[in-house]
Amino acid sequence: MAEAMADSYNGDSEPTTRTLLRRVLDTADTRTPRRRRSARVGAQKALLETPSSRRLSSPTKMNVRRHSHRVRSIGRLAHVHTSGNVEEQTPRTLLKNILLTAPESSIMRPESVVKPVPTPQVVQSSRRDSSRGSLELQLPELEPPTTLALGLLAPGRRKQRLRLSVFQQGMDQGLPLSQEPRGNASASSLTSSLNLTFATPLQPQSVQRPGLARRPPTRRAVDVGAFLQDLRDTSLALASPDPGKPAELLAGKAKKVDAHAVSFPNNSSAISGEDGVEPLQDGVDEEAEERMEESLSVSEVMDTTGTQGSVRTEKSKRHREMSEAVEAKEPEGSSGDEDISGRRASPELASSTTEFLQARQPQFLEPALPPSTAVLSSEPLEPLPTRLPPRARTPGPRPRQDPHKTGLSHYVKLFSFYAKMPMEKKALEMVEKCLDKYFQHLCDDLEVFAAHAGRKTVKPEDLELLMRRQGLVNDQVSLHVLVERYLPLEYRQLLIPCAFSGNSVFPAQ
Amino acid sequence: MAFSTTVSQRKHIKRKAPRGFLKRVFKRQKPHLRLETSGDLLVHLNCLLFVHRLAEETRMNAFENKCGVIKKEHVQAAAKKLKEYGKI
């Protein structure tokens, strides 16, 4: 015994936890702990002294910490021993199991998982890290029980996880609960450099508790086909602005369309051209192919820069979803556009299309037509000279109305909320009409007020005057009161100037 | 608890102002004019008050007709009344 001890002492320059454990096991008597208490304590004290002497020789912070750690763990071991255990399975046996089952790991190098005898190549500073690293590295190799061990050994959460895992082990192995936490604590602290499994050599935890096993992340296979398709489309879109000529663009599209080889009669070149090229941009929707063919014929026939310009901007708007680079097209298209009407129309068209896109994405056919009709209908600014009547009346005002309607629906919902009564659909439509008229009147009034003040910008003063005229604001009720009553906090802060510290007012006057 | 202690609205009314929508409407109507930043919030406030008044008037009309449902006629009558009072 003594020789073994001496050997172990002499042989190791820096004893590992494993060797320490061995020493403990060797020195500790198999007899009941209480009797040998003094002897054991004395032995352990000797143990403590020797490591301490060795430790002191190479002073590093890690070392000291480890040493104190070891001391504590040894102390705990002693405590365990002294506390007394009547049953067959003692900490000794536990530790023996550990020594048997745990794969030996060199302290220094995390890769070397299995080594026959502890050959402590000690790099003290990295010992802790490497030990933990070894733990982590061994995770995938070992069975799920190691996860349990890792959970046990995670330093921060040691106690909590110990309890749970220990409990589970107890359940499995029928070990007494009280012993295990302490035993685990000591063992884990001591054997942090080892891979500990308290499991008896052959019991994989996952088999019994499948839920505890770490599941590999399920990854969906990437749909390569769709991805390539999208790539092609975006590259097409990206490539198109480079030549910068609509003819080439359309020619490129034409080539694409040629595969389908259908020609449609072309009634209204401009509009159908716009319609056609728009869905072209999507490239994903098969339905749009019809339009594409129309656009093909249109492009060959039509030459108005206006249409092309608007087409360009429409294209750019369309593709906003697909790629950001498309946005570069917008200024390109708008700047390159010679036709004023086209330019004028395009922002509105674009806005309407984006609104529409935001509102309803799946409907590709209709948006094709609506922008054209939108151009037709919303032409208060400058009537386009060469506008042919829209092909289809039915989906006509939709794209213009839809974003408009979605905005109005907000107020319609408010109306139904204020009314607190069920409403007929016709009544709701009536409310929409009223709102439309209301907005028109509102804008006219604001224009008049701003012009009266000699301005071209409508300011909040104009709004206040409007509300005064309506009778909402009077000497008793001021605008600020109304703001506070009806608007949420964020808007209130923006509208009502408030003094802050440092002699500052927000919003600035 | 058998039921919740709070009274919840069936429809959650958004309190946000559709600022983009308002700006767009103004631009469409009066492209030569500009609207200030805080202006559209006040426009929203105005809309709220208008809708509030309209709804109140509509409800009164519906009560007077002893209908449990709001009908188109109630709304129309309310709108006419507001017009002559100068809702504008």
Side-chain angles (χ1 to χ4, degrees):
Chain A
M1 277 273 259
E3 296 161 7
M5 265 186 62
D7 284 343
S8 61
Y9 277 129
N10 296 338
D12 311 339
S13 54
E14 293 292 340
T16 64
T17 44
R18 182 171 277 268
T19 53
L20 272 181
L21 255 183
R22 281 244 163 84
R23 262 178 245 149
V24 167
L25 287 173
D26 292 339
T27 54
D29 280 8
T30 43
R31 287 174 242 172
T32 57
R34 285 201 184 139
R35 258 195 260 163
R36 287 288 161 177
R37 190 183 197 166
S38 53
R40 184 161 302 140
V41 165
Q44 282 171 350
K45 272 188 189 163
L47 259 180
L48 282 173
E49 278 158 32
T50 44
S52 67
S53 62
R54 294 191 176 264
R55 291 289 170 273
L56 284 171
S57 62
S58 51
T60 49
K61 280 188 185 172
M62 295 295 296
N63 214 11
V64 170
R65 226 186 290 158
R66 196 141 249 278
H67 167 54
S68 61
H69 204 58
R70 292 246 173 84
V71 171
R72 243 182 289 136
S73 54
I74 292 171
R76 260 182 244 156
L77 246 190
H79 185 55
V80 166
H81 288 304
T82 53
S83 67
N85 167 34
V86 193
E87 300 196 20
E88 284 308 301
Q89 292 230 348
T90 60
R92 166 183 284 273
T93 59
L94 267 180
L95 293 172
K96 262 195 181 149
N97 271 343
I98 294 163
L99 288 176
L100 285 171
T101 63
E104 300 219 20
S105 62
S106 114
I107 293 167
M108 174 173 150
R109 286 189 266 136
E111 299 95 341
S112 59
V113 173
V114 176
K115 272 201 169 183
V117 175
T119 53
Q121 302 153 12
V122 178
V123 177
Q124 297 183 5
S125 56
S126 64
R127 178 179 297 180
R128 233 186 204 171
D129 302 0
S130 64
S131 67
R132 263 179 234 144
S134 69
L135 279 171
E136 286 149 20
L137 278 173
Q138 287 163 24
L139 250 184
E141 304 165 32
L142 292 176
E143 293 167 350
T146 1
T147 63
L148 225 124
L150 186 64
L152 286 175
L153 298 174
R157 310 255 172 90
R158 195 172 295 141
K159 288 174 193 169
Q160 298 166 10
R161 285 199 203 169
L162 275 179
R163 299 260 152 73
L164 177 66
S165 51
V166 161
F167 177 68
Q168 285 160 352
Q169 281 183 325
M171 296 281 291
D172 297 334
Q173 302 162 21
L175 289 174
L177 245 182
S178 55
Q179 256 209 353
E180 296 194 345
R182 267 184 250 128
N184 284 357
S186 56
S188 57
S189 63
L190 271 182
T191 56
S192 53
S193 64
L194 298 175
N195 250 347
L196 277 192
T197 66
F198 279 108
T200 53
L202 292 175
Q203 268 181 1
Q205 207 73 17
S206 60
V207 172
Q208 296 153 10
R209 309 263 168 126
L212 290 180
R214 283 201 188 171
R215 270 181 258 145
T218 52
R219 293 197 184 95
R220 271 189 310 161
V222 176
D223 188 3
V224 183
F227 176 66
L228 288 176
Q229 174 75 14
D230 286 340
L231 261 185
R232 257 182 262 123
D233 300 334
T234 50
S235 62
L236 193 69
L238 284 171
S240 45
D242 298 341
K245 287 185 190 174
E248 290 178 20
L249 263 173
L250 294 169
K253 304 292 186 303
K255 284 174 200 164
K256 194 183 173 187
V257 173
D258 268 336
H260 307 282
V262 180
S263 58
F264 270 49
N266 182 23
N267 301 341
S268 55
S269 47
I271 293 133
S272 59
E274 288 168 37
D275 307 344
V277 181
E278 263 193 29
L280 250 183
Q281 296 307 311
D282 290 75
V284 188
D285 197 8
E286 296 300 303
E287 302 172 2
E289 284 174 7
E290 301 174 3
R291 306 271 175 235
M292 292 200 306
E293 285 122 13
E294 297 160 14
S295 77
L296 218 189
S297 47
V298 171
S299 64
E300 290 163 359
V301 174
M302 274 293 301
D303 259 337
T304 32
T305 49
T307 49
Q308 284 167 356
S310 52
V311 156
R312 240 181 289 156
T313 49
E314 305 238 12
K315 284 186 222 163
S316 62
K317 288 298 173 186
R318 266 302 177 166
H319 252 299
R320 200 176 269 175
E321 300 172 89
M322 312 264 285
S323 61
E324 317 124 2
V326 175
E327 293 194 11
K329 269 192 207 168
E330 231 184 288
E332 261 191 60
S334 49
S335 57
D337 194 2
E338 298 163 9
D339 194 337
I340 303 165
S341 59
R343 207 182 281 151
R344 276 295 186 167
S346 53
E348 288 195 336
L349 273 171
S351 59
S352 67
T353 47
T354 41
E355 287 160 31
F356 185 81
L357 284 172
Q358 287 159 15
R360 288 189 212 178
Q361 295 206 357
Q363 299 182 10
F364 286 118
L365 282 174
E366 279 135 354
L369 288 170
S372 60
T373 50
V375 174
L376 285 176
S377 51
S378 69
E379 278 296 342
L381 341 163
E382 309 182 25
L384 288 170
T386 56
R387 283 283 170 199
L388 299 174
R391 273 193 306 115
R393 274 282 175 195
T394 39
R398 229 153 142 202
R400 186 240 179 168
Q401 284 298 327
D402 266 346
H404 192 73
K405 270 195 180 171
T406 45
L408 279 183
S409 67
H410 183 245
Y411 292 111
V412 174
K413 278 185 209 166
L414 273 170
F415 181 89
S416 59
F417 171 69
Y418 282 136
K420 292 187 176 57
M421 279 166 59
M423 301 190 59
E424 286 182 355
K425 296 226 170 136
K426 287 189 185 169
L428 289 174
E429 287 169 19
M430 191 64 209
V431 170
E432 265 185 32
K433 266 195 221 166
C434 288
L435 276 169
D436 263 335
K437 276 197 211 164
Y438 160 78
F439 276 121
Q440 283 174 20
H441 288 300
L442 177 88
C443 291
D444 291 336
D445 285 349
L446 289 177
E447 183 183 9
V448 168
F449 295 155
H452 179 74
R455 281 186 262 109
K456 284 198 177 172
T457 315
V458 175
K459 291 206 160 172
E461 294 103 49
D462 302 329
L463 264 295
E464 174 155 13
L465 182 58
L466 176 75
M467 292 175 74
R468 204 170 264 278
R469 278 203 64 190
Q470 289 185 357
L472 296 166
V473 173
N474 47 30
D475 298 330
Q476 278 74 43
V477 180
S478 87
L479 179 62
H480 288 190
V481 168
L482 289 175
V483 166
E484 278 189 36
R485 237 185 255 171
Y486 287 94
L487 293 184
L489 177 67
E490 295 80 24
Y491 298 152
R492 260 186 273 153
Q493 281 175 347
L494 292 177
L495 285 171
I496 301 179
C498 187
F500 289 88
S501 75
N503 207 24
S504 65
V505 176
F506 178 78
Q509 297 292 335
Chain B
M1 299 289 178
F3 52 88
S4 74
T5 49
T6 58
V7 178
S8 60
Q9 292 178 12
R10 279 209 65 191
K11 310 175 197 173
H12 291 277
I13 301 294
K14 287 184 273 180
R15 299 281 172 201
K16 279 180 78 173
R19 299 182 75 169
F21 167 73
L22 293 173
K23 181 100 199 235
R24 199 189 313 136
V25 164
F26 186 78
K27 259 293 165 188
R28 200 166 273 171
Q29 292 272 330
K30 310 281 167 194
H32 52 277
L33 288 183
R34 278 187 259 161
L35 183 60
E36 246 194 67
T37 317
S38 323
D40 69 346
L41 291 176
L42 287 170
V43 169
H44 176 68
L45 175 66
N46 209 2
C47 291
L48 285 180
L49 291 165
F50 164 71
V51 162
H52 194 70
R53 276 181 298 170
L54 191 62
E56 283 298 319
E57 197 58 44
T58 312
R59 259 180 68 175
M60 277 174 39
N61 286 352
F63 282 153
E64 277 173 27
N65 288 8
K66 292 182 190 145
C67 286
V69 187
I70 288 176
K71 292 196 177 155
K72 192 173 171 184
E73 299 82 37
H74 305 148
V75 180
Q76 270 176 330
K80 266 197 182 158
K81 205 172 180 186
L82 280 182
K83 242 184 190 168
E84 66 180 67
Y85 283 167
K87 78 161 191 201
I88 299 179

